[in-house]
Amino acid sequence: MSTVELPTATVPREPKQGRGPLRLGRFVLPVYTWLVILYTVIPIVLMIVYSFNQAPSGRMTFQWLGFTTQWYQHVFQIPDLTNALVNSLIVAGSSSLISAIIGTPLAIALARYRYLGRNVTEGVIFTNIAAPSVVVGASLLSLFITLNLNRGLVTIIIAHVSFCIAFVAIVVRARIVGLDRSIEKAAYDLGATPWVAFQKVLLPLIMPGIIAGMLLAFAMSIDDFIITSFVAGQTLTFPLWVYGAVKVGIPPQVFVMGTLIFLIGVVLALVNVFMQRRRA
Amino acid sequence: MLPAVREGVPNEAEVAAADVHLRNVVKTYGGVVAVDDLTLEIPRGEFFSLLGPSGCGKTTTLGMIGGFETPTSGTIMLGDQDVSRVPPYKRDVNTVFQSYALFPHLDIFGNIAFGLKRKGMPKEQIASRVTEVLRLVDLPGYEKRKISELSGGQQQRIALARALVNEPRVLLLDEPLGALDLKLRKQMQAELKRIQQDVGITFLYVTHDQEEAMAMSDRLAVMNAGKIEQYGTPRDVYERPATRFVASFLGASNLIAGKVVSSGGAEFAEVVLAGGQTVRVPAERVTPGQVEISVGIRPEKLLLEPVSEPAAPGYNAITGQVILGTYLGVSHQYIVKGPADTELVVYVQNLGATAPTLGETVRLSWLPEHTFVV
Ligand SMILES: Nc1ncnc2c1ncn2[C@@H]1O[C@H](COP(=O)(O)OP(=O)(O)O)[C@@H](O)[C@H]1O
Ligand SMILES: [Mg+2]
């Protein structure tokens, strides 16, 4: 290298020096991110992989015995398990729907109005999320006993709605807060009564939030174990059944069902994101 | 100081024909008085501007006319109907919001047809009205476009179309051009004025931009701290500002303190300025009994002359020292230290005349009828 080239060589290096921390980020942050992703997906990947494992005894072992799709073909072979899954789907479906119906107006009230007790409502919602499930489950059980309610699907749904509302309300409220207030004013301005404005303008605009809230509620509900175990009575849901089966060995169908639930969840979340993009 | 003269205040017939009447309207938020005992008549079919600095209560006033806010006291009439407590969806008024507030989930047709659908208009009629209004705002054939595909200027036009298509009694516009860049803003000003003249609907236009208000309005009201300071045509308000606030908010003004020494009967009253020089002002602009006043002259009304030449007869003349000269291309701007060290601004059209030197004593003269009193 000649000395003449030196200045030209240093000139382009200067901006790179300025990007020092960025260059660190270019390697460290992606590696870090991928490690976190690995950490979170490994259990899921294991579940999916082992749903294709052979299990001659009908009980899952964590030894790889060869590929098979037979558990997918016979996924509904165990009637009790199928029944528990159906119960879980009924519970998750109805509690996410009910909590969306109850949580959305709550979110609108919190986002758009100032009223007596608004701060209290807000506090209750956060307490609801923060409260330990054991406490909630135990207290709901004593409530149901006091009210002399027979424990079963209905009490499970009541219990699940009570913790799902908070999630729906928070997700939907975030969506409403992000909306320009004048959009609702514009609807009134153009002759829409409050109900029509809600139906034709606010509801379609917050629908992605409501769906996201419902998905979250569905996910919370379908794998709740602690609260459910308090209020289920003789009824078994999918998590309760799996927990009971652990002592004697888990049938591979559990992995298949887990995989299917996961896939449905992913698909629904993707559809929601896609719809949101297309609208915007 | 309260305005002594209220030029351009509508007479009884005009009040009767007005579209919007605000009577002693007050709006308070907690302890904050946003609109303070405001009385205003907005004439039918006019382009009317509410002009004032940010925070003076313009949006609040518009909100009360639109029905989004309820007055704390006072009445709002649309024609002869008291609408003070009528909800917005029952008022024959439409608004163009500063943020446009278009419905992002509907296409352009859906946005513009929204109001007509609420009125239960038949489908074919809605379609033809939408086509028509899109032509009016110069976006023909845009029915099926999405809001997100439009530029800011186009969204502005759609917001206008969505309101106009309902043929409201009054159209409210809250700083609708605020978000546009200067060039587009100028273009839209002309466009809005043309559209208003085409459709003949009363426009109530809110802005803090005095040039915009002057350029577009048939009449305007200057607002400050929740009150109307002056009402009139742009010419009235510019030529004869009634208060110090109006004089300084609408263009530049020179104000010199003085004392009225004679007024009785004559066409002109004599005023001795601080520092001893005497000028004449039209007698009708001095409220009888008023002694301590300020005399105002617009910078472009002043002639800057060498003291060696004789003063033109009939002109007011004072002397002062040039302390600053700025070349602006189309004009020169001079700062002249006048009576009692008041700094006066003078615009001199660039006709190629020899410029006065700094420190030179010059004469400023102007026609007495160009003098206003605040
Ligand atoms: N909802 C509100 N709550 C409290 N104060 C308000 C509210 N709306 C407006 N104000 C106050 O009223 C005054 C006038 O506001 P606004 O009408 O928005 O002024 P402008 O549109 O002229 O800028 C301001 O001082 C503002 O802070
Ligand atoms: Mg405003």
Side-chain angles (χ1 to χ4, degrees):
Chain A
M1 270 210 191
S2 69
T3 45
V4 190
E5 275 177 46
L6 249 173
T8 41
T10 46
V11 167
R13 220 178 265 158
E14 269 181 7
K16 267 193 194 161
Q17 270 173 349
R19 263 186 278 149
L22 267 184
R23 210 162 63 179
L24 182 78
R26 199 179 293 165
F27 298 105
V28 173
L29 284 183
V31 168
Y32 171 80
T33 313
W34 278 108
L35 283 176
V36 172
I37 289 174
L38 264 183
Y39 175 57
T40 50
V41 302
I42 279 178
I44 297 168
V45 171
L46 278 182
M47 169 184 78
I48 296 171
V49 168
Y50 278 91
S51 70
F52 293 104
N53 193 10
Q54 289 189 353
S57 64
R59 300 289 165 201
M60 190 44 86
T61 51
F62 284 92
Q63 235 172 355
W64 185 254
L65 299 174
F67 181 86
T68 177
T69 57
Q70 62 167 308
W71 310 123
Y72 282 82
Q73 287 155 32
H74 305 292
V75 61
F76 298 125
Q77 208 179 26
I78 307 164
D80 282 355
L81 174 59
T82 307
N83 208 8
L85 179 71
V86 169
N87 282 343
S88 272
L89 290 174
I90 291 173
V91 169
S94 19
S95 40
S96 54
L97 189 68
I98 295 170
S99 48
I101 292 169
I102 301 177
T104 302
L106 186 64
I108 297 173
L110 285 173
R112 285 290 190 249
Y113 299 94
R114 283 183 209 166
Y115 56 92
L116 194 69
R118 180 172 172 275
N119 291 337
V120 177
T121 323
E122 200 137 339
V124 167
I125 284 178
F126 280 99
T127 319
N128 193 322
I129 288 175
S133 299
V134 180
V135 178
V136 176
S139 59
L140 275 171
L141 175 61
S142 52
L143 178 70
F144 293 145
I145 290 173
T146 314
L147 294 177
N148 212 2
L149 265 181
N150 276 336
R151 271 146 286 141
L153 276 184
V154 173
T155 48
I156 300 176
I157 292 172
I158 293 173
H160 284 206
V161 167
S162 81
F163 69 76
C164 287
I165 289 175
F167 290 97
V168 173
I170 284 175
V171 175
V172 175
R173 185 180 62 167
R175 176 91 191 172
I176 300 173
V177 166
L179 278 183
D180 178 5
R181 256 169 207 258
S182 340
I183 290 187
E184 288 151 84
K185 283 193 190 171
Y188 298 135
D189 187 73
L190 294 164
T193 58
W195 171 242
V196 172
F198 171 72
Q199 242 186 312
K200 302 272 181 197
V201 177
L202 189 60
L203 192 60
L205 287 175
I206 64 174
M207 198 41 102
I210 297 178
I211 292 172
M214 278 178 69
L215 285 177
L216 188 62
F218 192 94
M220 302 292 295
S221 164
I222 203 156
D223 65 15
D224 176 76
F225 176 79
I226 302 174
I227 295 177
T228 314
S229 65
F230 279 98
V231 299
Q234 298 305 306
T235 310
L236 285 182
T237 61
F238 183 66
L240 295 185
W241 193 93
V242 173
Y243 182 76
V246 167
K247 294 160 214 158
V248 283
I250 305 171
Q253 279 89 346
V254 168
F255 283 66
V256 176
M257 287 177 179
T259 304
L260 294 179
I261 292 172
F262 171 72
L263 285 180
I264 291 169
V266 169
V267 168
L268 288 179
L270 287 178
V271 166
N272 191 36
V273 169
F274 176 75
M275 298 271 285
Q276 217 171 321
R277 289 238 174 107
R278 219 187 42 169
R279 269 177 220 246
Chain B
M1 209 205 302
L2 280 174
V5 208
R6 296 226 332 189
E7 277 299 304
V9 171
N11 59 35
E12 267 171 50
E14 281 179 312
V15 168
D19 246 0
V20 185
H21 313 258
L22 300 174
R23 299 222 175 107
N24 307 103
V25 173
V26 176
K27 178 71 187 180
T28 56
Y29 294 105
V32 183
V33 182
V35 172
D36 190 1
D37 196 19
L38 190 135
T39 297
L40 185 64
E41 311 288 343
I42 295 158
R44 174 169 308 190
E46 281 197 5
F47 197 118
F48 189 97
S49 290
L50 205 51
L51 170 67
S54 178
C56 73
K58 305 181 298 292
T59 298
T60 308
T61 306
L62 219 55
M64 287 189 286
I65 300 172
F68 308 113
E69 306 280 356
T70 314
T72 310
S73 66
T75 20
I76 295 171
M77 314 268 293
L78 285 182
D80 48 16
Q81 190 201 357
D82 180 352
V83 295
S84 312
R85 269 149 189 90
V86 172
Y89 48 89
K90 287 189 188 154
R91 294 191 189 194
D92 192 10
V93 168
N94 288 109
T95 308
V96 177
F97 295 87
Q98 176 162 12
S99 62
Y100 312 149
L102 296 172
F103 304 130
H105 61 298
L106 300 177
D107 62 7
I108 288 180
F109 180 88
N111 268 275
I112 298 178
F114 193 92
L116 300 178
K117 282 184 184 160
R118 303 286 84 74
K119 289 181 183 164
M121 185 180 277
K123 273 205 167 76
E124 318 77 60
Q125 211 177 331
I126 291 180
S128 73
R129 287 278 284 273
V130 172
T131 311
E132 200 180 310
V133 79
L134 278 173
R135 204 175 304 134
L136 180 72
V137 298
D138 211 17
L139 289 173
Y142 270 59
E143 281 92 340
K144 289 282 156 281
R145 301 282 189 99
K146 285 185 190 170
I147 298 302
S148 55
E149 292 170 18
L150 303 184
S151 70
Q154 289 172 327
Q155 292 191 10
Q156 167 63 63
R157 285 159 198 258
I158 296 303
L160 182 65
R162 182 179 69 173
L164 269 182
V165 76
N166 304 293
E167 295 179 350
R169 185 171 189 128
V170 183
L171 186 74
L172 309 177
L173 304 102
D174 191 356
E175 313 214 11
L177 309 183
L180 305 180
D181 62 48
L182 187 65
K183 191 165 166 243
L184 202 53
R185 197 154 71 220
K186 293 277 177 220
Q187 192 187 326
M188 279 303 294
Q189 283 175 12
E191 193 94 327
L192 271 176
K193 183 78 188 162
R194 169 187 69 79
I195 290 170
Q196 193 271 333
Q197 283 167 346
D198 271 11
V199 297
I201 291 173
T202 309
F203 273 38
L204 175 51
Y205 189 92
V206 157
T207 181
H208 65 266
D209 181 336
Q210 50 108 0
E211 221 175 292
E212 193 167 282
M214 298 270 287
M216 300 169 78
S217 323
D218 296 315
R219 239 181 276 232
L220 54 84
V222 182
M223 206 174 163
N224 183 33
K227 287 181 151 63
I228 300 290
E229 294 259 337
Q230 196 173 358
Y231 175 109
T233 62
R235 179 183 291 272
D236 286 339
V237 177
Y238 183 80
E239 301 293 343
R240 299 186 53 191
T243 66
R244 275 174 175 273
F245 174 81
V246 176
S248 58
F249 189 73
L250 220 78
S253 287
N254 294 305
L255 297 176
I256 312 166
K259 275 198 173 86
V260 182
V261 289
S262 82
S263 56
E267 191 188 345
F268 292 105
E270 299 215 322
V271 176
V272 177
L273 303 179
Q277 311 189 56
T278 302
V279 296
R280 297 188 300 155
V281 302
E284 23 96 33
R285 295 185 193 170
V286 180
T287 316
Q290 211 179 7
V291 179
E292 302 281 344
I293 57 159
S294 282
V295 162
I297 322 105
R298 296 289 188 183
E300 72 280 4
K301 299 281 172 26
L302 290 170
L303 298 174
L304 190 145
E305 303 155 332
V307 275
S308 51
E309 285 170 24
Y315 275 64
N316 280 329
I318 57 176
T319 53
Q321 267 190 327
V322 178
I323 55 172
L324 186 68
T326 315
Y327 175 72
L328 297 173
V330 289
S331 64
H332 287 84
Q333 178 186 313
Y334 295 103
I335 309 282
V336 175
K337 197 186 275 181
D341 286 352
T342 317
E343 290 186 1
L344 306 171
V345 183
V346 186
Y347 300 149
V348 177
Q349 203 186 339
N350 187 356
L351 298 169
T354 21
T357 51
L358 285 192
E360 189 182 330
T361 299
V362 292
R363 181 174 52 240
L364 299 177
S365 61
W366 70 93
L367 283 171
E369 45 270 43
H370 287 158
T371 321
F372 55 86
V373 172
V374 296

